[in-house]
Amino acid sequence: NAVSTCGSCHNLNYPVSTEYAPHLRDVARRRIASADDYDGYSDALLARGDEDWTIDTLESYLRSPQDFAPGTTMPDPALSEADLAEILGSLALLR
């Protein structure tokens, strides 16, 4: 499934970040670049740190990470519409 692709870098199961990426628990309800245990945020995401991750901002980011935050280290996931919808639906439920 599409969500498992995210798990190659992000922790989906526990609110503990990996060395590569912040965890995704409660991501749709927190500030951008705000996982307390992750210090690898790019300057591009830190510059947006006064904004919240919402389904809309997550969709924009996943559609084109570089357009959303030029200079981010997030690779372009090149998601199909079906995969994007699956991921956004799952992210909304990760608590």
Side-chain angles (χ1 to χ4, degrees), residues 15-88:
V16 177
S17 296
T18 71
E19 67 180 288
Y20 308 108
H23 69 84
L24 296 179
R25 301 302 269 185
D26 287 319
V27 69
R29 288 168 284 285
R30 69 180 188 224
R31 290 258 184 229
I32 293 173
S34 69
D36 293 340
D37 66 341
Y38 184 71
D39 62 3
Y41 287 110
S42 65
D43 290 341
L45 278 183
L46 290 170
R48 298 198 68 156
D50 62 338
E51 300 174 60
D52 292 332
W53 282 124
T54 64
I55 294 304
D56 290 339
T57 55
L58 286 164
E59 180 178 357
S60 294
Y61 188 54
L62 292 172
R63 282 187 183 280
S64 179
Q66 290 301 318
D67 286 343
F68 183 85
T72 186
T73 56
M74 169 81 168
D76 184 347
L79 300 168
S80 69
E81 290 298 314
D83 287 348
L84 179 61
E86 179 184 341
I87 290 169
L88 291 172

Side-chain angles (χ1 to χ4, degrees), residues 3-8 10-14 23-25 91 94:
V3 178
S4 64
T5 302
C6 304
S8 63
H10 296 273
N11 191 340
L12 304 173
N13 298 314
Y14 302 102
H23 69 84
L24 296 179
R25 301 302 269 185
L91 290 177
L94 287 176

